[in-house]
Amino acid sequence: MLSGCKSKDNGETAPPANPQVIAVNDMNLITIDKNDVAKFPIVSAGQIDSASELTATGTVFPDISREVPIISLANGRVVDIKTRLDDNVKKGQLLFRVQSADVSTAFDAYLKAVNDEQLANKAYLRAVDLLQHGAIAQAMVEQAEDAEKDAKADLAAAEQLLTVLGVDKDHPSTVVDVYAPISGVIIGQNVTNAAAAGVTLSGSATAFTIADLSTVWILCDVYENDIPKIKLGQEARFILNAYPDHPLIGHISDIGPVLDPCAPPRSASRLRIPASSSLACSAQQPLPA
């Protein structure tokens, strides 16, 4: 194994005694024929201001301030669904119907409140009449008046409960209709026919989620090293994979103050760009169907 270490250099690889130097032209220089000099005039260089560009990947999200969860304040069983996921709905449109025992309880409390208020009113009027004839004391009239006010308060509370549950006191029904509070697109559905609905059940309280997509957010991931390059109000041009020939324009409106620790190798910050102006632009030039 050590035989190679004992070998001696026999001089076969030594450099020659008289090395020859070969000149190589400067690669940065070119030679032009004297007859072609006129084809290459000399001009002064100018300066052009060019804005730097930063490329980042982004995702489209609905504006959270324009999302509305749809719930049923009456617990019960869903008996009819009029819409489904991805449907466009108008404000006031019927979404689904819930059969609820809460309606029966609330309407029963309302009827009792009506009877109590009528009885309290009659007692108060009778007390006033007796006071005018000197049959009772003023304190008894005040007591009857207080009882009537309490009965009116209970009646108002019972009526308000029916209103909250979506029940018409003049046309009561055990089935509650749930309507859309805003116009938009259904982006979430958590109920089906015969499913449970209500805010106190173990299931999801949100039956549907409606979002107004006239304004959306573009959330981009920007590396920490690139954060000094961005500022609020800067213009952002983004291209959708579905429509690469129709760039949309927005402006940076929020730079997330929290870095993402799960974004190796460099932490990334969230960049928020509203695309409302770009959608208005695309409305004038509709995207291809």
Side-chain angles (χ1 to χ4, degrees), residues 101-116 158 162 172:
D102 294 345
V103 177
S104 300
T105 303
F107 190 70
D108 178 67
Y110 167 74
L111 293 179
K112 290 181 178 179
V114 171
N115 296 334
D116 292 342
L162 291 178

Side-chain angles (χ1 to χ4, degrees), residues 68-70 81 83-84 95-96 186 188-189 191 206-210:
V68 178
I70 309 301
I81 295 181
T83 56
R84 63 178 182 177
L95 299 180
F96 63 99
I186 297 179
Q189 178 178 350
V191 296
T206 303
F208 290 98
T209 300
I210 299 178

Side-chain angles (χ1 to χ4, degrees), residues 6 8 49 53-54 70 77 83 105 131 135 185 208 215 246 253 257 268 285:
K6 296 179 180 179
K8 297 181 179 180
D49 294 332
E53 293 185 359
L54 176 63
I70 309 301
R77 183 172 62 91
T83 56
T105 303
L131 177 64
V185 179
F208 290 98
T215 298
H246 293 77
S253 63
Q285 298 179 354

Side-chain angles (χ1 to χ4, degrees), residues 38-112:
K39 298 179 180 180
F40 302 93
I42 299 176
V43 296
S44 60
Q47 180 178 352
I48 299 177
D49 294 332
S50 177
S52 61
E53 293 185 359
L54 176 63
T55 303
T57 58
T59 308
V60 181
F61 285 93
D63 186 353
I64 191 173
S65 64
R66 295 173 180 265
E67 291 185 19
V68 178
I70 309 301
I71 62 176
S72 172
L73 297 180
N75 300 322
R77 183 172 62 91
V78 178
V79 295
D80 190 12
I81 295 181
K82 299 296 185 181
T83 56
R84 63 178 182 177
L85 190 66
D86 295 334
D87 282 354
N88 286 277
V89 296
K90 300 295 184 180
K91 182 178 180 180
Q93 181 177 337
L94 178 62
L95 299 180
F96 63 99
R97 310 182 74 193
V98 179
Q99 187 177 34
S100 174
D102 294 345
V103 177
S104 300
T105 303
F107 190 70
D108 178 67
Y110 167 74
L111 293 179
K112 290 181 178 179

Side-chain angles (χ1 to χ4, degrees), residues 116-131:
D116 292 342
E117 193 279 331
Q118 292 177 353
L119 180 61
N121 181 262
K122 292 179 181 179
Y124 171 69
L125 296 177
R126 186 181 304 109
V128 172
D129 183 65
L130 293 175
L131 177 64

Side-chain angles (χ1 to χ4, degrees), residues 222-235:
V222 177
Y223 286 115
E224 179 182 359
N225 297 347
D226 295 328
I227 291 180
K229 302 177 183 179
I230 58 177
K231 295 180 181 179
L232 294 177
Q234 282 182 331
E235 183 178 280

Side-chain angles (χ1 to χ4, degrees), residues 54-61 217-224 226-227 230 235-240 248 250-260 263 267-275:
L54 176 63
T55 303
T57 58
T59 308
V60 181
F61 285 93
W217 290 104
I218 306 297
L219 298 184
C220 301
D221 293 325
V222 177
Y223 286 115
E224 179 182 359
D226 295 328
I227 291 180
I230 58 177
E235 183 178 280
R237 184 172 66 93
F238 47 94
I239 300 175
L240 301 178
L248 305 178
H251 293 83
I252 300 174
S253 63
D254 180 74
I255 301 176
V258 181
L259 297 178
D260 184 4
S267 298
S269 178
R270 303 293 286 183
L271 195 66
R272 186 174 298 176
I273 306 171

